[in-house]
Amino acid sequence: MPVEDFRSVVSASARLLRLVSVLAARPSWTCAELAERTGVTERTVRRDVARLREIGYVVESDPGPWGGYRLRAGSRVPPLILDDEEALAVAVGLREAALSGALGGDQAALSALLKLRQVLPGRIAERLAEMDAAFVHTPRPSEPQITPGTLLELAAACRRGERARLSYRDGKGRATVREVDPYRLVHTGRRWYFVARDVARDQWRTFRADRVVRLQPAGRPVELTDPPDPARLVSRSTANGPYPLSATIRLPLPMERALRLIPATVGTHRPDGPEATIVDVGGPDADGLAGYLLGLATPLRVLGPEAVRQALVRRVRELLEDNGDG
């Protein structure tokens, strides 16, 4: 085969794989949206869809200007050519990787599992559901239990880009129902958090995934404008949210070293030049915060509030007096 012909075949194959990946990302796409996402013309999209159908993908379409394309659940998974047992093994492995963090990238494993489940044959999907019901994932100490089904439901809502109705139970057991715009799932290493915009309050919020009772899609596509950094939002919420008091300190350490001293689950960090870091830390009261800061055993400056600074000075003076010569 001439080199140019070979390059053309490789380019077309890569384009088809890209199209499959985009189709699997949400339930439906218009031809124009697919063209924009894949960087080709609408005519090329229609031709590539026809080619996918020829090689075994079940791509359904609706006519008219508001119609679209969708990858039907239960399609075969060429060009992977997995048999039933292999597809089941991959799905189970991805699920366990997402739950345990064994691969480090929980979000990537979860995303891959969502795509695979969408194209699993019905009989394999049923077997996987049976295994989900039978398997129990042992939580780490103090880690709450969350079912794989709930995790996948939340991840699918984030991928769909549709408004949803969230039934949630907070830490005090109070039940609420609210409309949300799902955005991302964040794993802190101890538990999962669901990041979404609370429609009524017009605020970005974090929800403990293990406290979600139900998430019901409303069928309304939404465009999220200026979404937050989900990891930073969760870090700020978990570090300061449960505590009635927060202190701001300055560490004469670069960000990387400051994060090792005060983890992101304990404080919210921002650089103050290349060699210093500002950290917000939550605590039960001024004296409790002063005790924590003293226990860091490192130079620092309390920027506020004054009550925490005074409590820290008092503790240091008491320590000096207890260890003085007289």
Side-chain angles (χ1 to χ4, degrees):
M1 178 185 292
V3 173
E4 292 303 320
D5 290 346
F6 177 76
R7 288 176 177 172
S8 177
V9 170
V10 171
S11 176
S13 299
R15 194 174 67 244
L16 289 178
L17 290 174
R18 169 65 178 159
L19 179 57
V20 170
S21 178
V22 173
L23 282 169
R26 77 182 197 201
S28 180
W29 297 84
T30 67
C31 188
E33 289 173 332
L34 290 173
E36 181 181 357
R37 282 297 187 98
T38 56
V40 298
T41 64
E42 293 185 29
R43 181 179 179 183
T44 300
V45 168
R46 288 190 287 270
R47 186 168 62 244
D48 287 348
V49 167
R51 177 60 182 147
L52 287 177
R53 288 166 173 163
E54 289 176 2
I55 61 177
Y57 287 94
V58 182
V59 182
E60 299 176 335
S61 59
D62 296 319
W66 304 109
Y69 293 101
R70 58 183 174 273
L71 190 63
R72 193 178 75 189
S75 303
R76 296 280 310 275
V77 288
L80 292 176
I81 318 176
L82 297 175
D83 64 25
D84 289 358
E85 296 301 323
E86 290 170 336
L88 184 61
V90 170
V92 172
L94 287 171
R95 188 199 66 171
E96 293 307 304
L99 286 171
S100 67
L103 300 179
D106 310 294
Q107 195 73 34
L110 195 58
S111 177
L113 179 57
L114 279 171
K115 291 180 179 180
L116 182 60
R117 277 203 168 189
Q118 188 172 0
V119 296
L120 282 176
R123 60 187 180 280
I124 302 302
E126 290 176 4
R127 289 183 62 187
L128 186 60
E130 292 171 358
M131 296 179 75
D132 282 346
F135 286 176
V136 175
H137 178 68
T138 304
R140 290 182 281 269
S142 75
E143 179 191 14
Q145 186 82 11
I146 181 170
T147 65
T150 298
L151 201 58
L152 286 172
E153 181 184 3
L154 295 175
C158 293
R159 296 184 67 88
R160 275 193 299 264
E162 294 178 354
R163 185 158 295 173
R165 192 172 181 84
L166 173 69
S167 299
Y168 187 74
R169 193 174 299 277
D170 66 16
K172 296 181 179 180
R174 295 173 298 197
T176 59
V177 178
R178 64 190 84 188
E179 282 195 323
V180 298
D181 295 334
Y183 181 48
R184 289 291 187 272
L185 272 175
V186 176
H187 190 217
T188 65
R190 295 188 303 120
R191 58 176 63 102
W192 286 91
Y193 287 87
F194 176 51
V195 177
R197 190 178 72 90
D198 188 316
V199 177
R201 299 181 183 181
D202 193 23
Q203 292 179 345
W204 287 99
R205 304 291 300 274
T206 63
F207 302 93
R208 283 257 301 262
D210 58 289
R211 293 176 180 166
V212 172
V213 178
R214 187 183 180 194
L215 189 70
Q216 184 177 9
R220 272 184 63 188
V222 291
E223 286 291 335
L224 300 179
T225 58
D226 195 26
D229 179 333
R232 186 183 180 94
L233 184 66
V234 169
S235 176
R236 184 165 62 245
S237 174
T238 56
N240 302 317
Y243 298 108
L245 184 64
S246 178
T248 302
I249 65 171
R250 183 182 188 273
L251 296 172
L253 301 171
M255 176 79 83
E256 183 180 353
R257 291 179 60 192
L259 281 167
R260 287 201 295 267
L261 183 67
I262 303 177
T265 53
V266 175
T268 304
H269 303 63
R270 58 186 182 278
D272 186 27
E275 299 299 326
T277 305
I278 304 296
V279 187
D280 296 319
V281 184
D285 50 42
D287 193 62
L289 270 170
Y292 172 77
L293 296 177
L294 191 61
L296 294 176
T298 189
L300 59 86
R301 181 175 180 81
V302 178
L303 302 180
E306 180 65 18
V308 176
R309 190 189 71 81
Q310 291 180 0
L312 180 62
V313 170
R314 184 175 63 254
R315 276 180 170 256
V316 172
R317 285 175 178 166
E318 291 173 354
L319 187 63
L320 288 172
E321 291 173 0
D322 290 344
N323 290 275
D325 292 338

